Structures are given as C-alpha cells and as structure tokens.
Amino acid sequence: MRASLSDRLRLFALALCLLGGQCALAHDPQNESESPTLEKVSEYLKRNQWGIAKEILQKEIDKTPPRADRSTLIGELGLLHLQSGEMDVGEKNLIEAISSGQGDSQQNFRWHLALLALWNHSSPPNARFDSFFKVAEGLAAGYPARQLKLNLLKLDREARVHPQAAEESAEKLLEDILKLPAGEARAVSLISLASILETAERGSAEPLKSLTQVRFSALNQTIEDAKTFPDLESLAYLKLVELYREKQRDADALHIAEQGILLSEKETNATSRWQLLAQKAQLERAQGHIEAALRDYSEAFERAESLRKDFPKWDDQGQSWFSSHVSPIYLERVSLLVDRVANLNNETVRRNFLMEAIFTLESINRSALEEFLGHACGVPDRKSNSSDLLLKGEKGVAFLYPLVNKDRVMILLAAGGGIQAFPIRGPSAPSIIQKMHTLARMLSNPSSNPEPLAKELFTILLAPLSEDLKRNKTETLVIIPDRHFRKIPFAALHDGEAYIGTRYNFSTLTGITLFNPLEEESSTGEKILLAGVSSPGPVVDQLPETIKKEVMFSAKARSRALASPLSGHENNHDIMTHALALPGVQKEIESLEPMSEMTMLNQGFTLEALRASLREHNYSALHIASHGLIGKRADASYILAYDDLIRFEALDTYLQAGGRSGKKLGLLTLSACHTAEGDDQAPLGLSGLALRAGIPRAMGSLWPVDDTATVDLMRTFYRELIHQGTSASKALRVAQQEVSKDPRFKHPYYWAPFILVGQWW
C-alpha cells in the first residue's frame, strides 16, 4: 500500500499546521485567542470525525461576515478538504482564503504551500505554480522552519523527475529536520521525507541505497519523536513495515507490525491500525499461519469499516481511494475465508465463514454506490435483514455473488438457506474478464454471433452451480455482481440449448444489505405515468459540451457515410435536434398509452410538468422513453426532458414527492437511458437512483436499444406486471422470451439489454 497523493497531502497539510498560529489540526490549549470553533473542530478531528469537523467549519463560515476570521475558517476548511482527498473543493477554499488578503503571514504561507503541494503533482503542471512559489519564498524568508517546508516541497518535485538527484539533498535535509526540537512537527517532517524518498526509489531504474538508509533513519526517529502522538507513531510503524517488505525482509516487517499493533491497542484513535493489521495478515498468510491471518484480516476489516466515512475519495491517479487501498484487502479476506471453508466439515462454521465473505463483498459494493452518489448519506447497511434472507432462504430464489480477485474468479451462491463457494477452474481471471468484455461488445452488435462465447462463459461460470440450482428448484437468480460482471446480462448466457433468460427470472442488486423493498410504502395498481421525447427541444442547448461535440461528430460522420453531406445551412442546434431524434418513442408511448393514467410527449414532457404531476398524483410506475446517460457519478448522469436535463441528483427529489397520499412509485423504467460506451455503471446508477428515491424497482438498459423490439417488449412487460399480476422479474423474462421468438429479434441485442434492479417479486 504505497503512499498516495492524498497521503502525502495529509502529511504536508499537517506539517504546515504545526508551524504555528491557529490550526484546526493542532489545537493549542494555551492559545487563549484561538477560535472556539477551531477548538471544537480539533476535538472532532482527534476522534477522526472529519465529516462533522468540516460541517462545523462550513456552518461557521456561512454565518461569519467577510473579515479576517472568515478567511481563517475558509483556509482551515480548505486544508481539511485536501486531507480528505477532496482536492477541487480544497483548492477552491484555499484560493478564496488567499484572495481575501486578510490572512496573517503564517496562515498565508501554510495556504500557499498546501496549494503548491497539490499542484506539484498535477498533470499538466498548474500554470500558477511558479508565481505562488515566489510568494511562498518571500513568506519563508527569515523563518527556518518555513524554509524547511519549502525544501521538502522542492525535494518532492526533484524526487519524481530526477530520482538520482534526490540523493544529493536527502541527507542534508534529514540533518536540517533533526535540528528542529523533538515533537510533533519534527515527526511529521520526518515521515514526509520518508514518503518523498519512497517515491524517488520507486521511480529509479537503479538501487539508491543511500536513500534507503535515510528512510530507515527518518522512520525510526519518527517513532522516537511521536511517543505522545499515537496517530503519527502508528503511521511511522506502518511506513517502516512497508519499507521492510519492500526490501524483502518479511521477518523484520512482521516483528515491526506486531509492535505497532501492540502500541495502537492503547489508543482508540490510531488510524493506521487497520493497515498495520492488514500488513500483518498478509505476512502471516504468506507464512502459512492461516488462523492468525484470518483474525487480523477480520479486525482490519472491522476497523476500516468504522473509519470508511473519513477515507480520502481519490488517489493520485484519479481512481477511487477505497478501490485502490481498501478493496484489495477486503478481497484478500474473502479469498482466505473461501479457502478456509474448503477444509471444514462443520456446516454451521462453513456457513458463518461464507456469510462473512458475503458481508465483505457487500461493503465493497456499498462503497461503489457511495462513490457514484458522491456521498454516503442515505446508503443503508441492513446486515441483520440480509442475514435472515440468506440464512433462511427464499423458495425458488438464488443469490449469486460473482467476483474477481487478482488471478482468481469465484462465485458465492446462497440458496435454500445454504451458502456455497465455487472457485472457477480453467481459464485465468484475465482471460475470463477479456471474454466477458468481448461478449458485452458482441451483445450490443446485432450483426455478431455471440452464441458460441455465451455458451463458453456459461460453461465456465454457471455450469458448476447447475446441480445446486436444480436441487433448490431455482426459478429466480438475483445477481450481486462486482465491477467486472456488471457489463453483461446473465440472461444472455447460453446453456447449450437456449439462452438462460428463457429459463430463469433475473434481478440485479448492488447489495442485499442496501436493499429495502419498501413494499408497504409504494403505490400499487395500474396507474402509469408515461413520458417521452421523440424530438428534443431547448434541452439540446443544455447538454454538456463534451456530449454536444460527440453528437456533432456523429452527425457529420453519418452524413458522410450516407453520402448526403450537410447543406451548410443548418445550425448546430438543428443538427443536434435531428441527430437526437428518437422516432420510435412516439410509437412506444402510443402503444403503452392504453395502460397509462397520464401521458407526456415532447412539449408536454417538461421538467416542471413532471414535477407537478408526481407531486399531485399517485402512480404505480414512471416510464421514461428518452435519451439519457448513466455516467461514472450521479452528477454526470441525466435524462432528456423536452426543455431541460433531468439530472439524477435532482430526479430523486421529484420521485420522493409521493403524490398526495405520500405513497411512492413501485417502478421506474428508463427505456432509452444507457451507460457510456465501455462503462459498467448502469446497475449502480439505477440502484442509486432507486435507493435515494425509495423506489423498490428500477429497469434500464446496458446499451442503446432497438425501437421496434423495445415497443413489443415493454407492452408485454406491463401487460404481465399490471394485468396478470406477475412478479417484475418474471414479467421481464416473459417479455424477453416473447420478443426473442420473433425471427427479427432472435439476437440478444434486441431483448437482453434490459436489466431489473431491486425487488424481484
């Protein structure tokens, strides 16, 4: 677990706070002039309650008039955002604090240096770096401690560009740091130095032995200096364990990890404890100490779960920090639990171990959903409810957890009150992933022949489960996929006789612990609100610029391919309106209208009309036929109304209205909303939208759909669901089966893109 940009910024920001002056991260009880707000913030930070600390600062900022105190609060909030991995927000806060011109010399230096630390790692380099660096040099003149921080920053820059050159200044910088009085500031500077030199060593093509020695010296001295600062001491132990492992001295690494864990037991707020436990578990597993490794993985998991709300959001590659730092540890725990049950005969113990594996996977999926939504608010963890569901079983229903962990693929199956693990033999994990990606592309191309690959993947993934599924008389498969399995609909796998979408009902969940059917709160009956856009209006001008460019490019490419170039008289608005037209939507709406309570088409489907109708009336379902995109996050996901974009982050507020009776929708269908090319966010997007709005079921597509086939599928789906009283998952299966019987629509492209997320009954 190498140091990420967020890790290094935490260290830099903490070092800056320790230079003196007011600091929310280093509250000085002897400083009578310190703001009571900052005192309160410091207390929450000591308990690792970062979210609350930021809320307190923001509330104080909102009620403080523009004066020096306000700029101090904004600057401190900026530092906290940087430390939390919220780089854009932190940068904005710090620039605002600096621009006020009201901070004192100490504050301005800290704010400048925090921005420089951030920009030092930006690519391409931020254009403001040089000017801010000159200001920081001026603020550091005559202050050795400040100059030391600037030298650390320069070394950090040098270490990444010219690792060998870092050798010349590393020892001198260590000497300068050791001239500081022993204490928290020196300890933080030493850890910062060690982290910088770690970057230099990793980036060098040849060994840099002198840097290794400086790293050992810096970390050992940190442990001596940080005796009264448990978080720093624990972090130094963690870095030392990583260094020993890096140098293949595993016995020493294990000894240091044990020491660090023993010390952290005395302190409830040692935030590195879970990582030390994870390191120890990895070392124990490598030595064959399986029971000890399991205990440490379990404690690491519990500890990390208690801290998850305070983890940074992104790493220095722009990837999820949870995915890069935490998820691998969780997956290691899952693998070890699965391996352990292979040698157990006690069915109760086996089931408990596998239940723990499932809960670990649920935590990974919950984090993915939180990242899509941009926050953890409203994302539940109903572990007890899901335990009952899995352990008691549900007649005819099987829950499948397919996952990839490094070079392994496995499926956990919960059915009939039992839980089984199926490690997949045969092709390697990368080979299986590649096959799934290939199948996803073939399924979305009606001229392809996906059947051979669909058969092969069925043989690899589901054939080993067949006997268990038969024994439990399985009719419905509820898939809880990891990110690798989100792009393919399992209904499009082929058992050698038929696509299995004709044999099983399917539903997809992000996690059972997130699941809340809200059956008693949702509307029932036959009231459907139909809304569609066949020819968009003013909304085309509201599209993000990147989408506008893509639409224009596609329109011009299409005109060239059809040998009918644009006349040159059309403006961009007209070109995009034409390109975004969905002629099949009108037919779809007209086909479903006899089953609807209210219909909105084109000019009638505006943002305000949708909001008003949902507020005034109760509907059992909302069916939207329009362009839409499910992006990587909720704030990048939207549906086109006639006049404006319906953003996912706002749509849930409309859906929560619940009409005059307060009952909420039972189903949301997005019949033309799909994911970005190559993305796998559809299940997450639908889950997130449904979860936030309290809707038990949502249905959407994995790729752009065919107009005619969609009309037939939706008509059958609603007929089965509403008039026949069929379960949602069975209604979808019947609709897909009926469409696939049409010789024109046999290819899965036409019937397989639709997935049901949530309630399967």
Side-chain angles (χ1 to χ4, degrees):
M1 289 179 287
R2 61 179 298 183
S4 69
L5 174 59
S6 296
D7 297 331
R8 293 195 291 274
L9 284 174
R10 283 174 182 257
L11 293 170
F12 269 118
L14 183 53
L16 297 176
C17 284
L18 295 170
L19 288 170
Q22 290 181 337
C23 176
L25 302 182
H27 165 58
D28 180 3
Q30 303 302 317
N31 185 355
E32 295 181 1
S33 65
E34 184 162 304
S35 160
T37 298
L38 295 184
E39 291 183 27
K40 187 187 298 183
V41 166
S42 291
E43 289 305 312
Y44 279 111
L45 290 175
K46 288 176 183 177
R47 298 195 292 270
N48 295 305
Q49 294 175 308
W50 291 66
I52 297 175
K54 284 185 284 188
E55 286 179 15
I56 291 172
L57 275 174
Q58 187 60 63
K59 287 179 181 178
E60 189 67 20
I61 289 168
D62 292 341
K63 67 181 183 182
T64 302
R67 61 174 190 265
D69 286 351
R70 191 171 190 273
S71 66
T72 296
L73 295 170
I74 292 171
E76 296 304 327
L77 182 60
L79 289 175
L80 285 181
H81 279 304
L82 286 189
Q83 291 176 284
S84 301
E86 299 165 308
M87 308 308 181
D88 292 343
V89 181
E91 179 183 35
K92 181 180 177 181
N93 289 148
L94 290 170
I95 290 175
E96 182 180 352
I98 291 170
S99 299
S100 72
Q102 296 172 329
D104 61 28
S105 172
Q106 292 171 327
Q107 291 171 334
N108 268 295
F109 179 76
R110 290 166 47 232
W111 299 338
H112 275 81
L113 197 52
L115 285 171
L116 290 171
L118 173 64
W119 295 340
N120 202 24
H121 294 264
S122 61
S123 181
N126 192 291
R128 294 169 290 186
F129 184 92
D130 290 339
S131 61
F132 272 65
F133 191 86
K134 288 180 181 178
V135 174
E137 283 186 313
L139 292 168
Y143 296 92
R146 297 184 194 179
Q147 188 60 52
L148 176 60
K149 305 308 172 190
L150 272 182
N151 289 340
L152 276 171
L153 182 72
K154 286 191 284 188
L155 178 64
D156 186 36
R157 197 176 188 87
E158 189 177 64
R160 289 179 295 106
V161 180
H162 302 294
Q164 290 78 14
E167 285 189 300
E168 300 175 9
S169 50
E171 291 189 18
K172 175 64 168 60
L173 197 48
L174 176 61
E175 292 176 6
D176 291 342
I177 293 173
L178 293 177
K179 291 176 183 176
L180 294 172
E184 191 174 10
R186 187 168 84 171
V188 171
S189 297
L190 287 167
I191 297 181
S192 295
L193 175 62
S195 295
I196 291 167
L197 299 183
E198 176 188 352
T199 301
E201 284 205 74
R202 290 182 183 275
S204 176
E206 56 189 57
L208 301 175
K209 293 183 179 179
S210 65
L211 293 190
T212 300
Q213 189 54 52
V214 173
R215 288 170 66 191
F216 273 117
S217 298
L219 292 172
N220 280 308
Q221 187 61 53
T222 302
I223 290 171
E224 290 298 317
D225 286 357
K227 294 297 185 186
T228 56
F229 307 104
D231 275 358
L232 284 177
E233 186 180 27
S234 186
L235 179 58
Y237 271 106
L238 175 62
K239 295 296 180 186
L240 196 55
V241 170
E242 292 173 348
L243 179 53
Y244 275 121
R245 293 191 69 183
E246 180 186 320
K247 303 307 174 184
Q248 298 182 336
R249 295 171 58 179
D250 286 2
D252 291 321
L254 183 57
H255 176 67
I256 296 297
E258 289 169 343
Q259 283 187 313
I261 291 167
L262 186 63
L263 286 170
S264 67
E265 285 176 354
K266 302 173 184 177
E267 304 291 342
T268 58
N269 66 335
T271 55
S272 298
R273 179 177 173 82
W274 80 268
Q275 291 173 294
L276 279 167
L277 285 160
Q279 292 277 351
K280 182 168 176 273
Q282 290 171 336
L283 290 162
E284 287 167 336
R285 185 179 186 183
Q287 294 181 7
H289 303 152
I290 303 302
E291 297 301 331
L294 272 175
R295 286 194 300 272
D296 286 330
Y297 272 124
S298 294
E299 188 178 346
F301 170 73
E302 295 296 335
R303 181 74 182 177
E305 284 294 283
S306 70
L307 297 170
R308 62 184 295 142
K309 65 181 181 299
D310 296 317
F311 288 151
K313 290 185 177 178
W314 314 111
D315 64 13
D316 49 351
Q317 303 300 316
Q319 303 300 312
S320 157
W321 195 90
F322 188 98
S323 296
S324 59
H325 283 66
V326 187
S327 181
I329 301 301
Y330 283 19
L331 287 172
E332 287 172 12
R333 184 191 186 213
V334 171
S335 286
L336 194 57
L337 286 165
V338 169
D339 290 343
R340 183 68 183 88
V341 300
N343 300 315
L344 289 175
N345 295 321
N346 186 308
E347 188 57 37
T348 301
V349 176
R350 283 172 54 88
R351 190 174 61 177
N352 290 342
F353 272 41
L354 292 176
M355 182 69 78
E356 283 301 312
I358 284 176
F359 286 151
T360 308
L361 294 174
E362 292 270 331
S363 293
I364 295 173
N365 288 348
R366 185 166 67 254
S367 175
L369 186 58
E370 290 170 353
E371 287 164 7
F372 175 82
L373 295 174
H375 56 75
C377 297
V379 180
D381 183 5
R382 300 182 178 90
K383 188 177 288 189
S384 59
N385 292 347
S386 53
S387 293
D388 291 342
L389 185 60
L390 293 172
L391 294 178
K392 293 178 181 177
E394 182 174 339
K395 185 178 180 181
V397 178
F399 301 92
L400 272 64
Y401 288 81
L403 68 134
V404 177
N405 179 20
K406 294 181 181 176
D407 59 345
R408 304 179 66 184
V409 175
M410 64 182 73
I411 295 179
L412 300 183
L413 168 67
I419 306 176
Q420 301 295 326
F422 295 87
I424 301 302
R425 315 295 181 187
S428 65
S431 174
I432 294 175
I433 292 171
Q434 184 57 51
K435 290 178 189 295
M436 289 193 295
H437 287 176
T438 302
L439 180 60
R441 290 195 300 271
M442 297 179 78
L443 291 172
S444 62
N445 177 7
S447 63
S448 69
N449 179 19
E451 190 171 309
L453 187 53
K455 289 178 180 177
E456 183 181 357
L457 280 170
F458 175 86
T459 301
I460 293 170
L461 298 172
L462 292 187
L465 287 64
S466 295
E467 290 304 314
D468 286 79
L469 296 177
K470 288 178 183 177
R471 185 165 50 253
N472 287 288
K473 298 180 181 179
T474 303
E475 297 177 355
T476 301
L477 293 179
V478 180
I479 312 296
I480 303 99
D482 80 345
R483 62 187 181 88
H484 297 287
F485 285 88
R486 291 187 200 132
K487 293 177 67 172
I488 61 168
F490 272 61
L493 298 183
H494 198 291
D495 66 5
E497 296 180 2
Y499 287 103
I500 63 172
T502 64
R503 304 191 188 282
Y504 297 105
N505 310 321
F506 280 91
S507 179
T508 300
L509 291 179
T510 304
I512 293 179
T513 56
L514 306 171
F515 180 62
N516 185 9
L518 293 176
E519 188 173 26
E520 72 284 359
E521 296 183 22
S522 60
S523 295
T524 57
E526 301 181 5
K527 294 184 178 181
I528 302 177
L529 170 57
L530 294 178
V533 176
S534 62
S535 180
V539 67
V540 298
D541 298 320
Q542 305 300 319
L543 290 168
E545 287 302 318
T546 54
I547 300 298
K548 288 181 181 178
K549 290 178 181 177
E550 288 178 16
V551 172
M552 289 296 296
F553 178 82
S554 297
K556 291 175 181 177
R558 179 175 173 79
S559 70
R560 288 194 298 271
L562 297 175
S564 56
L566 300 170
S567 67
H569 299 297
E570 301 97 331
N571 57 40
N572 286 354
H573 177 93
D574 291 339
I575 293 171
M576 287 195 295
T577 299
H578 179 74
L580 291 170
L582 292 170
V585 164
Q586 183 156 347
K587 184 179 179 183
E588 181 178 339
I589 296 296
E590 290 173 352
S591 174
L592 298 176
E593 193 165 12
M595 291 184 274
S596 74
E597 175 79 7
M598 168 74 74
T599 299
M600 299 177 178
L601 182 63
N602 292 333
Q603 292 94 331
F605 178 23
T606 65
L607 216 57
E608 181 51 40
L610 177 66
R611 183 187 295 116
S613 189
L614 289 170
R615 185 172 57 242
E616 293 296 320
H617 305 283
N618 288 111
Y619 298 102
S620 59
L622 169 61
H623 179 102
I624 299 179
S626 177
H627 279 295
L629 183 74
I630 300 176
K632 290 188 177 298
R633 291 188 294 276
D635 59 9
S637 303
Y638 52 83
I639 305 162
L640 274 64
Y642 181 79
D643 63 333
D644 207 342
L645 297 176
I646 306 175
R647 298 190 179 277
F648 269 34
E649 54 190 343
L651 180 57
D652 71 302
T653 61
Y654 308 161
L655 301 178
Q656 285 174 354
R660 291 186 174 180
S661 73
K663 290 186 176 181
K664 298 173 183 176
L665 289 169
L667 171 69
L668 169 67
T669 301
L670 306 178
S671 79
C673 191
H674 58 85
T675 59
E677 186 67 28
D679 211 342
D680 56 12
Q681 297 295 91
L684 280 180
L686 292 168
S687 292
L689 186 55
L691 185 70
R692 284 174 56 162
I695 299 173
R697 310 180 194 92
M699 191 164 72
S701 60
L702 295 176
W703 57 81
V705 297
D706 176 81
D707 290 341
T708 305
T710 298
V711 169
D712 292 348
L713 186 144
M714 289 298 171
R715 187 167 50 228
T716 304
F717 172 75
Y718 284 113
R719 181 196 71 206
E720 292 293 315
L721 182 69
I722 294 173
H723 296 307
Q724 302 299 325
T726 307
S727 69
S729 58
K730 185 176 180 180
L732 179 58
R733 176 174 66 83
V734 171
Q736 290 176 321
Q737 192 170 10
E738 193 165 305
V739 169
S740 68
K741 289 178 181 177
D742 188 322
R744 298 172 298 167
F745 305 138
K746 289 179 65 177
H747 195 287
Y749 163 78
Y750 296 100
W751 54 264
F754 288 100
I755 58 169
L756 179 73
V757 172
Q759 225 181 58
W760 52 90
W761 62 87

